Amino acid sequence: MEISLQKMNNNNFYFYYKLRCENKNILYTGHSKQPEYSILKEWSKNINEENKKLIYLVEYNNICVGYIHLDIKGKNVEIGYAVSEKDENKGTGTLIVRQCILLIEKEFQYIEEIIAWIAEFNEHSIKCVLNNNFIRLQETKETFYEGYDKCLTMRKYIYRTKQQEEF
């Protein structure tokens, strides 16, 4: 499976919105209902203009199969990603994380660590990062998930980039 990344923009926002409306995506992102189109569009426009977060759509055969969020914080970047429900259990998530690493190492060479905070119940996502040589740390944090109406434990995983390995 060969996948490509496209930076999200007004022309492809609808695909991002559709992914954010999938039931599992709603739960895994901590929400309890589908996002409102206009509010999500405004949010994505604002973060794009402020360079707070970068969003990439993941395509396979010109079909959107997932997305990646990059939140750059100094020499580190926190990532978030999702796979379309119809593309789960096909290795797509592992490929998305791999593409994310390649993108960061190519376009953001100053980044030393890639960080993923993953809910402990999200076994598929944990498998994706471990398959890409992330290290499971002991550090955790509690995050409120609307869909579950309670705080759940998130665990920190890191990947040391080639930039970091050189030091």
Side-chain angles (χ1 to χ4, degrees), residues 4-147:
S4 63
L5 301 177
Q6 302 294 325
K7 201 166 187 181
M8 191 188 68
N9 57 46
N10 280 334
N11 295 330
N12 59 18
F13 172 80
Y14 181 72
F15 298 109
Y16 177 70
Y17 173 74
K18 291 300 285 182
L19 289 168
R20 293 292 303 265
C21 289
E22 291 182 358
N23 290 330
K24 285 186 180 178
N25 190 282
I26 292 166
L27 283 175
Y28 288 165
T29 57
H31 300 285
S32 60
K33 61 183 178 190
Q34 293 181 353
E36 187 177 316
Y37 184 87
S38 60
I39 291 173
L40 184 62
K41 187 159 189 170
E42 185 66 25
W43 172 82
S44 64
K45 178 182 172 238
N46 289 340
I47 63 164
N48 188 37
E49 288 174 357
E50 298 169 12
N51 287 322
K52 287 185 175 179
K53 188 177 291 207
L54 302 172
I55 303 172
Y56 291 86
L57 297 179
V58 182
E59 295 181 353
Y60 173 67
N61 287 339
N62 295 321
I63 297 171
C64 188
V65 297
Y67 66 80
I68 297 169
H69 286 183
L70 302 179
D71 190 1
I72 298 172
K73 298 180 175 188
K75 293 186 177 190
N76 298 329
V77 61
E78 290 186 3
I79 64 168
Y81 50 90
V83 176
S84 174
E85 290 176 357
K86 65 181 175 25
D87 292 292
E88 288 181 329
N89 301 315
K90 298 177 183 176
T92 309
T94 297
L95 289 173
I96 287 174
V97 173
R98 172 75 3 262
Q99 284 295 105
C100 184
I101 292 168
L102 294 172
L103 170 74
I104 291 166
E105 289 183 336
K106 180 181 178 191
E107 302 293 327
F108 307 95
Q109 295 176 0
Y110 59 91
I111 295 295
E112 295 177 358
E113 289 184 349
I114 301 170
I115 300 165
W117 286 95
I118 303 173
E120 290 192 326
F121 70 86
N122 193 343
E123 295 174 9
H124 291 290
S125 189
I126 292 168
K127 185 178 176 183
C128 293
V129 295
L130 293 178
N131 284 344
N132 281 289
N133 300 315
F134 276 69
I135 300 165
R136 179 182 188 266
L137 301 181
Q138 293 303 309
E139 188 176 346
T140 61
K141 66 181 179 180
E142 297 297 308
T143 302
F144 184 76
Y145 276 72
E146 280 180 32

